[in-house]
């Protein structure tokens, strides 16, 4: 289901959209990102940017900026990376996004929680901040909520 949700969300995203992902280790953040980027049409290999901090993937729609904020101390350190132009022109997907949430005025926030009784099952909770993000969430909910509830 995570792959299908990622692909469905990808249909709605465009340049300037920010998706913050939160969840424990092996919660599915990179898996989600891989399927979101693949749905946008890429030939790039998608991997966790843990050591590089940021990867940029080319897709048919626009670039996707994939950031792992786990090792960042906060929004200021994120700003020091100098990714502002990329954020404006790309879809930004940020793992451990809660660590740098103050860096953004608008975003979708997806929290991944494992379901202990069900091996590999996850609950995804989606929230929005900002007008564009609220519109995206409303569109997503209208189109797809009945499929996964």
């Amino acid at each position: 289901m995570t792959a299908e949700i990622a692909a469905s969300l990808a249909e709605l995203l465009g340049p300037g959209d920010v998706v913050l992902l939160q969840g424990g280790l092996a919660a599915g953040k990179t898996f989600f990102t891989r399927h979101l980027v693949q749905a946008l049409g890429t030939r790039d290999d998608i991997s966790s940017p843990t050591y590089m901090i940021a990867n940029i993937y080319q897709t048919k729609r626009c670039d996707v900026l994939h950031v792992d904020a786990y090792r960042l101390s906060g929004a200021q350190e994120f700003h020091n990376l100098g990714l502002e132009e990329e954020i404006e022109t790309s879809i930004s997907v940020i793992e451990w996004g809660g660590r740098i949430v103050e860096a953004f005025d608008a975003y979708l926030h997806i929290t991944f929680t494992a379901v202990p009784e069900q091996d590999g099952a996850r609950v995804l909770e989606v929230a929005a901040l900002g007008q564009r993000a609220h519109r995206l969430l409303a569109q997503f909910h209208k189109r797809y909520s009945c499929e996964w509830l």
Side-chain angles (χ1 to χ4, degrees):
M1 276 299 168
T2 302
E4 291 88 352
I5 293 169
S8 297
L9 181 60
E11 293 177 19
L12 303 173
L13 296 174
D17 288 332
V18 175
V19 181
L20 305 179
L21 306 178
Q22 197 64 39
L25 293 172
K29 298 178 298 293
T30 301
F31 180 86
F32 180 90
T33 302
R34 180 176 298 115
H35 287 278
L36 187 144
V37 175
Q38 288 173 341
L40 291 167
T42 188
R43 293 185 176 168
D44 296 341
D45 290 328
I46 299 128
S47 61
S48 176
T50 301
Y51 300 104
M52 299 294 292
I53 298 181
N55 292 332
I56 299 172
Y57 308 114
Q58 295 179 335
T59 73
K60 292 177 181 176
R61 184 168 310 151
C62 64
D63 286 351
V64 175
L65 173 65
H66 182 198
V67 175
D68 186 323
Y70 184 77
R71 295 186 295 143
L72 300 178
S73 61
Q76 186 57 50
E77 190 172 2
F78 176 72
H79 283 299
N80 291 343
L81 296 174
L83 298 170
E84 287 80 12
E85 184 177 326
E86 203 60 49
I87 291 167
E88 291 176 16
T89 60
S90 302
I91 297 168
S92 299
V93 181
I94 303 173
E95 296 186 32
W96 302 97
R99 300 177 69 82
I100 59 170
V101 69
E102 303 86 18
F104 303 99
D105 295 331
Y107 53 83
L108 287 177
H109 188 267
I110 303 174
T111 303
F112 296 74
T113 306
V115 179
E117 318 73 62
Q118 299 177 13
D119 190 35
R122 288 164 178 69
V123 173
L124 276 64
E125 296 176 64
V126 184
L129 178 72
Q131 194 172 33
R132 167 78 178 144
H134 276 283
R135 280 196 307 270
L136 283 170
L137 183 55
Q139 284 180 298
F140 183 76
H141 187 265
K142 184 177 179 181
R143 285 188 186 186
Y144 304 110
S145 65
C146 61
E147 293 181 31
W148 297 301
L149 292 178

